[in-house]
Amino acid sequence: MARPGATSRDLMKTILTAIAIALLLPLTNIAPEFWKSFLCYPSAQFSGLFLNAPIMATGEGYMILVPPFPIHVTLSCSAAGFFVLSTILAAVVFTDRQKGLRIGSLLAAGAYGYGVTLAANCARIILAWYAERCARLVLAEPFWGSVHLCVGLGVFVTFLVLAYGILTWRPRHEQLAQTI
Amino acid sequence: MNNSHKPFELLPEAVRKPVYILWLFALPQLLLLALNVRAYLLVQGEMDSTQRVHATIIGLIELALLCYGIGLWVFLRRRGRIFSWLPAIPTLLLHIGYLWMLTTWGMSIIPRAASTWMLPETELLFNQFALIMPAVFYAGVCLIAFRLPFGRGVDAGVSLVALVGIPAGWYLLFAVVQTFSPWQLPELIMVFGFVGSTVIMLLAFVRVLLNLYSWLHDIRRVRFVLPLIAGVAAPIGGLLLNRAIPFPFDFQDPKVYIFTILNGLVLLLPFPAGRAPRLLMWTVRVVLLPFTLYFFIVFLPFLPLSIVAMIAAGAGFLILAPTLLFVVHTRQLHEEYKLLAPQVGRWTLLGAFVIGISVLPASYSALAIAHRHALMQAVDLTYSPDFSEARPTINRKFARAALMRLRRMKDGIYLPFLSEYYNQLVFEGMVLSDQKMDTVYELLFGAEPDWEDARRSGIGAEFMPRSGSRRRSAGWRDGGGAQRPSRNVTLSDLSLTEQHEGNMIRATLTLTMQNEASAQAEFRTPIELPDGVLVSGYWLDVEGTRVPGRIFEKKTAAWVYHMIRDTERRDPGLLVYDTYRRLTLSVFPFAAGQQRVTQIEFLYPDCITPVFDIGDRRVSGVRPAPDPRGLVRVDTGADQDWLIIPRNAAQALPTTRRTPYLHFIVDASATGSSGWAQMADRILGVLDANPDIQHCRISAANYAHAELTTRRIDRSGVKGALRSRAATQMRFEGAFCPERAIKATLLGDREQHRASGPRRPGVPVFVALHGENTRPLIVDGLYAFAHLTPDAPHYYIQAAEGQMTQVPFDGGAGRVVGRIPAPAPVFEFRTPGRNAVCRAEDVAMVAVLPADLAALEIFDPASGEFRPVDARTIIAPDAPYAKGASAWQQLYATAHHPATLNRERPAIVEQSRASGIMVPLTSYIVVENSAQWAMLKRKENQSLGAHAQLDFDDFVESPVPPSWLLAPVVFLLMRRRLKKKPALNQRRRALAGI
């Protein structure tokens, strides 16, 4: 990510971010029960609320009992990776704003990442479900999974950009105002 | 109406009798205690010490509440007192306190490891509210119905102010808090205030109602107003609101609207004069009481949310409509009871009440039972027919109604309690898959189902287009579930090792599989089995450990494998029969480049030299030396034994060719009538094209079948036989299903020759002739019947344009043929009084013969007589191979008599498990942990307890996109920030300069 004109501090930040991602993403594969409770359960609850469907606990996660086909929110639907990425993104912005790494910033980044993850995952689950319903009507079976993936990707990217936009929008104005 | 200052009675004393404490406090509490104890027993093993303490406290409190209820009842009864406002206060507080505690502790009482599938949290919480709220409501009503020293107007005014003021106050408070966001109320005050306000508001609501009822009741001309509001306006308004906000459930079923209006009208009708009309009117109102009661009970647990509902939606007060209806309905019944009792007597009224209140529940149950009967009859006719019954009796109209109702249920309308009750009654908690529903419909009506019609007629798309909240479907088998993993795993090594055990061989097939792709993948391959080879074991390498597979019922194992593969992505392996001779092996997962090993064990007599086809690879056992022992008899202990005929022994046995005759099966389906006139010419055409075959028989078939000939006829009798259709009362209806006519004929022939004993006179060659607009429907296939006609294991389908397709009994692909080939040579065996034939091939084969093989004979065409055959080598019935063969024979028996499948299935599964020999109803599966094994057992019990054709539910999974796809976005955003930062700083500096 190095670019002409980048300061060594920026370069260091980029490298540290890459390391953080590389270290934290594998953590999403351990303690599955934690991720289920931490992310799957609220995602399923909120999605169920939006879809007006009851949820049911299963051996692998939570089933949103919505017609025409229920949605099974399992570990692979937890968006734990997204949580890591959005938290890191928030942490980068917060630490940048705070001019350093502070516990408070990290906690705030975690909370922010959690909120964004839940919102994004709910949106993804709901939209992907609708998309798959449409796909089943017009496309052959091998394409359903791709449609699901594309919608999920689109939603997550959108939420990442939005989350970043919200993070950076306020400080800019505040900084400008303070400077003036 | 000059009584505004006169004290009045808001709640009749009869309602305050102590006996209600038993019904509304003690009984629900006892039920709740039982449910909670059951839940505790389920999860206690997984609880930590804190959870145990919490559970114990809850149990003790429940016991205390139960004792309190019973004690209060005893006390009041002994003192001859009623349940006044004074005991109502502690009752209310205690029960609210219990719910408060439950909600505060949340479901943390349930251990996470257990709660996920054993104990759904939402269900547990709902149980608490559903069974505690009756006591809360009753105590609240008794509390609020106290006398005030004011007149009715002031009293109602105060209640109304509380009713309107509280939600309005909360709304204003929220508005203020939102405007001044930094300021927040302490959480504790919020919660206490909210609960307290809800209680006061609900009580005020009830008091307003009681006031209103009491007031309106005294004014004859406006007496209809309250029933009009409570019976029609509020429920219809509530239903319309429910259409937009389906909370707590979706009630958008036309029947709900119809019953609502009917109930409202019945409540509006004036109470007539005269004893009989009054009794009739009262009974009619009692008949509809369960409807009112149902909605009251459904909404009761959600009453604490009424303030939220009012704040969230303007019309949220309609959540109270069921309570309003309940109060008005019950009060009206009570008032009329007081008028009627002196006229007709209490016992008469009690009888009328019992009968009346039973009408709706009994009707619903009867309807569900009738649907079950009709559905199961239709399912049995399709999948488990009794072939001896040529003309099955079925109420097609009722079956269609049941299927349509099922479709609507699957499409969404979900009524709490009722849908569960219906599902349990009709489906035993399982589900009929969409594909099976389609087949059943097509079989009965000869056309593909128009489910849209069901949706239109049931829900009324234009009236209420939105569907409900639940669908039960089992389409995952057809690919309706989550996305499948890739299958780029190849078979890198294959070996077969054989080990002698007496006169048997245990051969272990070792498959080494390698994932060539860079993504996680699944291995899946077909394995063709030779005749006489049984599957006796399976192992899978799980992280370096050789884990043995276990036998489970096939449908259960396939469902669990699917669940694990698509959700947990952990190490399942599955081996199942696709057909009677073909296995499918599935192993998952394979990481990129990973190599794994799996093993399958086969068991067979040492006189067999098996050749296994695994995908496109082939491996064979060691060819044995010519076996001097000759034929090997497998004593299954049942009424049929197996005779293993080794290759060298087969070469020494005399073969014969049986005389073929054509058995025409003509189309009598719903679309077959138009082509019936041409059938005679078509039959004669087939006979002309095959001059070697002189005789034929003719049957007509749809979902039933009828033999149009009593014996074999020549071409001169064809037209007369077809004319006899009318005499058989065979109507043109349903689908054209030649399969069951073929099966019935083969079984009939076997029975006939079993009894008679002489040589089998000929071999039937089946030709199905269908009309132009008909598609033959094959439901199960004919594999299990191939050995009944081993010399001609095909049937032929002739389309209206004359093209003839040969279709093998084993379900292989059909091919177009010009004429019918001659039957293959067979061995014709005979035991005393029984005959059996076996196809003569150049490989070892298995003949299924009557059990009495001591005097086995074979027909020798050279002498024209039967001669003895030596089959001295016997595999004893207690040998694993013989036990497995016995399980296979049981399976064949259920295939020949599908009506027995439901009854025999558990025994076959158990026998398969006990012998370790897999049969097509079972499978070998390997899973990773004890929870998955436990789940397998639990699901198997559910499956074996239900109808064989019912399946597990379907679902779709929603896996997230991989993180590596998103990581670049994060870096791009960071890059953007780093890029912008200097510009921002520059701008800031510039501004500072200004």
Side-chain angles (χ1 to χ4, degrees), chain B residues 306-325:
Chain B
S306 49
I307 285 189
V308 182
M310 288 183 202
I311 293 169
F317 68 90
L318 288 170
I319 195 175
L320 298 172
T323 311
L324 172 67
L325 179 61

mmCIF file of all heavy atoms in Angstrom, chain B residues 306-325:
data_model
loop_
_atom_site.group_PDB
_atom_site.id
_atom_site.type_symbol
_atom_site.label_atom_id
_atom_site.label_comp_id
_atom_site.label_asym_id
_atom_site.label_seq_id
_atom_site.Cartn_x
_atom_site.Cartn_y
_atom_site.Cartn_z
ATOM 1 N N SER B 306 -48.240 -3.772 25.171
ATOM 2 C CA SER B 306 -49.262 -2.931 24.565
ATOM 3 C C SER B 306 -48.849 -1.464 24.500
ATOM 4 O O SER B 306 -49.156 -0.765 23.538
ATOM 5 C CB SER B 306 -50.581 -3.085 25.305
ATOM 6 O OG SER B 306 -50.353 -2.961 26.684
ATOM 7 N N ILE B 307 -48.114 -0.992 25.516
ATOM 8 C CA ILE B 307 -47.683 0.406 25.475
ATOM 9 C C ILE B 307 -46.731 0.617 24.308
ATOM 10 O O ILE B 307 -46.848 1.580 23.547
ATOM 11 C CB ILE B 307 -46.998 0.812 26.796
ATOM 12 C CG1 ILE B 307 -48.067 0.988 27.870
ATOM 13 C CG2 ILE B 307 -46.225 2.108 26.628
ATOM 14 C CD1 ILE B 307 -47.543 1.598 29.136
ATOM 15 N N VAL B 308 -45.795 -0.321 24.161
ATOM 16 C CA VAL B 308 -44.853 -0.227 23.045
ATOM 17 C C VAL B 308 -45.612 -0.213 21.730
ATOM 18 O O VAL B 308 -45.313 0.581 20.826
ATOM 19 C CB VAL B 308 -43.871 -1.421 23.071
ATOM 20 C CG1 VAL B 308 -42.858 -1.316 21.956
ATOM 21 C CG2 VAL B 308 -43.179 -1.493 24.415
ATOM 22 N N ALA B 309 -46.616 -1.095 21.636
ATOM 23 C CA ALA B 309 -47.394 -1.172 20.395
ATOM 24 C C ALA B 309 -48.103 0.148 20.122
ATOM 25 O O ALA B 309 -48.160 0.615 18.988
ATOM 26 C CB ALA B 309 -48.402 -2.303 20.490
ATOM 27 N N MET B 310 -48.619 0.761 21.171
ATOM 28 C CA MET B 310 -49.338 2.024 20.982
ATOM 29 C C MET B 310 -48.385 3.136 20.569
ATOM 30 O O MET B 310 -48.731 4.006 19.770
ATOM 31 C CB MET B 310 -50.056 2.408 22.268
ATOM 32 C CG MET B 310 -51.259 1.525 22.546
ATOM 33 S SD MET B 310 -52.100 2.070 24.013
ATOM 34 C CE MET B 310 -52.962 0.602 24.465
ATOM 35 N N ILE B 311 -47.190 3.104 21.165
ATOM 36 C CA ILE B 311 -46.214 4.148 20.817
ATOM 37 C C ILE B 311 -45.664 3.905 19.411
ATOM 38 O O ILE B 311 -45.513 4.821 18.609
ATOM 39 C CB ILE B 311 -45.067 4.179 21.850
ATOM 40 C CG1 ILE B 311 -45.628 4.655 23.190
ATOM 41 C CG2 ILE B 311 -43.939 5.097 21.402
ATOM 42 C CD1 ILE B 311 -44.673 4.487 24.349
ATOM 43 N N ALA B 312 -45.428 2.631 19.097
ATOM 44 C CA ALA B 312 -44.823 2.313 17.796
ATOM 45 C C ALA B 312 -45.790 2.560 16.651
ATOM 46 O O ALA B 312 -45.419 3.072 15.604
ATOM 47 C CB ALA B 312 -44.362 0.863 17.791
ATOM 48 N N ALA B 313 -47.031 2.193 16.831
ATOM 49 C CA ALA B 313 -48.011 2.376 15.754
ATOM 50 C C ALA B 313 -49.223 3.074 16.333
ATOM 51 O O ALA B 313 -49.691 2.727 17.409
ATOM 52 C CB ALA B 313 -48.393 1.018 15.179
ATOM 53 N N GLY B 314 -49.729 4.030 15.584
ATOM 54 C CA GLY B 314 -50.867 4.808 16.071
ATOM 55 C C GLY B 314 -52.032 3.930 16.454
ATOM 56 O O GLY B 314 -52.718 4.149 17.437
ATOM 57 N N ALA B 315 -52.233 2.899 15.605
ATOM 58 C CA ALA B 315 -53.369 2.013 15.855
ATOM 59 C C ALA B 315 -52.968 0.836 16.735
ATOM 60 O O ALA B 315 -53.632 -0.190 16.759
ATOM 61 C CB ALA B 315 -53.926 1.509 14.529
ATOM 62 N N GLY B 316 -51.880 1.012 17.451
ATOM 63 C CA GLY B 316 -51.375 -0.086 18.274
ATOM 64 C C GLY B 316 -52.328 -0.503 19.370
ATOM 65 O O GLY B 316 -52.220 -1.614 19.893
ATOM 66 N N PHE B 317 -53.281 0.385 19.691
ATOM 67 C CA PHE B 317 -54.218 0.013 20.748
ATOM 68 C C PHE B 317 -55.038 -1.204 20.345
ATOM 69 O O PHE B 317 -55.650 -1.859 21.185
ATOM 70 C CB PHE B 317 -55.140 1.184 21.083
ATOM 71 C CG PHE B 317 -56.092 1.538 19.988
ATOM 72 C CD1 PHE B 317 -57.336 0.943 19.914
ATOM 73 C CD2 PHE B 317 -55.750 2.465 19.015
ATOM 74 C CE1 PHE B 317 -58.215 1.254 18.903
ATOM 75 C CE2 PHE B 317 -56.624 2.792 18.011
ATOM 76 C CZ PHE B 317 -57.858 2.184 17.933
ATOM 77 N N LEU B 318 -55.035 -1.508 19.031
ATOM 78 C CA LEU B 318 -55.822 -2.651 18.579
ATOM 79 C C LEU B 318 -55.264 -3.973 19.093
ATOM 80 O O LEU B 318 -55.906 -5.010 18.972
ATOM 81 C CB LEU B 318 -55.895 -2.665 17.049
ATOM 82 C CG LEU B 318 -56.793 -1.565 16.478
ATOM 83 C CD1 LEU B 318 -56.654 -1.459 14.983
ATOM 84 C CD2 LEU B 318 -58.250 -1.812 16.851
ATOM 85 N N ILE B 319 -54.073 -3.932 19.661
ATOM 86 C CA ILE B 319 -53.536 -5.145 20.288
ATOM 87 C C ILE B 319 -54.433 -5.554 21.470
ATOM 88 O O ILE B 319 -54.439 -6.694 21.908
ATOM 89 C CB ILE B 319 -52.082 -4.919 20.763
ATOM 90 C CG1 ILE B 319 -51.409 -6.258 21.070
ATOM 91 C CG2 ILE B 319 -52.013 -3.989 21.952
ATOM 92 C CD1 ILE B 319 -49.943 -6.131 21.424
ATOM 93 N N LEU B 320 -55.196 -4.555 21.958
ATOM 94 C CA LEU B 320 -56.096 -4.832 23.072
ATOM 95 C C LEU B 320 -57.457 -5.350 22.605
ATOM 96 O O LEU B 320 -58.306 -5.680 23.428
ATOM 97 C CB LEU B 320 -56.287 -3.566 23.909
ATOM 98 C CG LEU B 320 -55.011 -3.008 24.559
ATOM 99 C CD1 LEU B 320 -55.280 -1.661 25.188
ATOM 100 C CD2 LEU B 320 -54.478 -3.974 25.596
ATOM 101 N N ALA B 321 -57.648 -5.411 21.275
ATOM 102 C CA ALA B 321 -58.955 -5.837 20.754
ATOM 103 C C ALA B 321 -59.367 -7.217 21.254
ATOM 104 O O ALA B 321 -60.527 -7.405 21.652
ATOM 105 C CB ALA B 321 -58.939 -5.794 19.227
ATOM 106 N N PRO B 322 -58.469 -8.203 21.269
ATOM 107 C CA PRO B 322 -58.881 -9.522 21.776
ATOM 108 C C PRO B 322 -59.315 -9.482 23.239
ATOM 109 O O PRO B 322 -60.228 -10.202 23.637
ATOM 110 C CB PRO B 322 -57.627 -10.388 21.605
ATOM 111 C CG PRO B 322 -56.836 -9.718 20.553
ATOM 112 C CD PRO B 322 -57.098 -8.256 20.734
ATOM 113 N N THR B 323 -58.641 -8.624 24.025
ATOM 114 C CA THR B 323 -59.030 -8.500 25.432
ATOM 115 C C THR B 323 -60.429 -7.901 25.529
ATOM 116 O O THR B 323 -61.274 -8.363 26.309
ATOM 117 C CB THR B 323 -58.021 -7.600 26.169
ATOM 118 O OG1 THR B 323 -56.715 -8.053 25.848
ATOM 119 C CG2 THR B 323 -58.220 -7.648 27.662
ATOM 120 N N LEU B 324 -60.658 -6.886 24.731
ATOM 121 C CA LEU B 324 -61.980 -6.243 24.698
ATOM 122 C C LEU B 324 -63.050 -7.268 24.311
ATOM 123 O O LEU B 324 -64.095 -7.377 24.970
ATOM 124 C CB LEU B 324 -61.931 -5.084 23.683
ATOM 125 C CG LEU B 324 -63.246 -4.405 23.352
ATOM 126 C CD1 LEU B 324 -63.779 -3.667 24.571
ATOM 127 C CD2 LEU B 324 -63.077 -3.418 22.208
ATOM 128 N N LEU B 325 -62.758 -8.012 23.264
ATOM 129 C CA LEU B 325 -63.723 -9.005 22.791
ATOM 130 C C LEU B 325 -63.980 -10.055 23.872
ATOM 131 O O LEU B 325 -65.123 -10.456 24.116
ATOM 132 C CB LEU B 325 -63.175 -9.671 21.519
ATOM 133 C CG LEU B 325 -64.040 -10.752 20.893
ATOM 134 C CD1 LEU B 325 -65.386 -10.195 20.465
ATOM 135 C CD2 LEU B 325 -63.348 -11.370 19.687
#
